[in-house]
Amino acid sequence: MTEAQVLEQITAIVQRMLEDKGVKAATIEADTELLGGAINIDSLDLAMLVRELEDVVGHDPFAEGFIEFRTVGELAKLYAK
């Protein structure tokens, strides 16, 4: 899956999470910060996002340990192959 495709998946998952919370979906770009930024997700939401990405993409970039990321684009790069 390309980085752009992973970015689309992240956007869809985050927007669904926000809709489930009754929060208006935000515009999500590659430079959007995942926590503390324009989108209203918390650390539990982020953990669920990572888990769902593993299912969609088929691999776990954190299998060897934590890799720091801050933005949607940085997370997409970790999952792109």
Side-chain angles (χ1 to χ4, degrees):
M1 191 173 276
T2 67
E3 190 175 323
Q5 291 170 321
V6 175
L7 187 60
E8 288 177 18
Q9 291 293 322
I10 292 170
T11 299
I13 294 168
V14 169
Q15 287 180 340
R16 189 184 69 242
M17 286 178 170
L18 294 174
E19 288 173 10
D20 289 348
K21 292 172 135 184
V23 176
K24 182 180 176 188
T27 301
I28 300 171
E29 306 283 341
D31 63 346
T32 302
E33 292 193 31
L34 286 160
L35 296 176
I39 56 176
N40 189 17
I41 65 169
D42 58 24
S43 58
L44 179 59
D45 295 326
L46 182 57
M48 292 170 55
L49 169 63
V50 167
R51 176 70 179 106
E52 194 164 334
L53 279 174
E54 288 174 18
D55 289 342
V56 171
V57 176
H59 73 97
D60 177 9
F62 303 105
E64 302 293 320
F66 183 74
I67 303 167
E68 191 169 326
F69 61 95
R70 190 175 48 81
T71 67
V72 172
E74 291 170 346
L75 183 60
K77 282 182 184 175
L78 294 174
Y79 280 94
K81 281 192 169 184

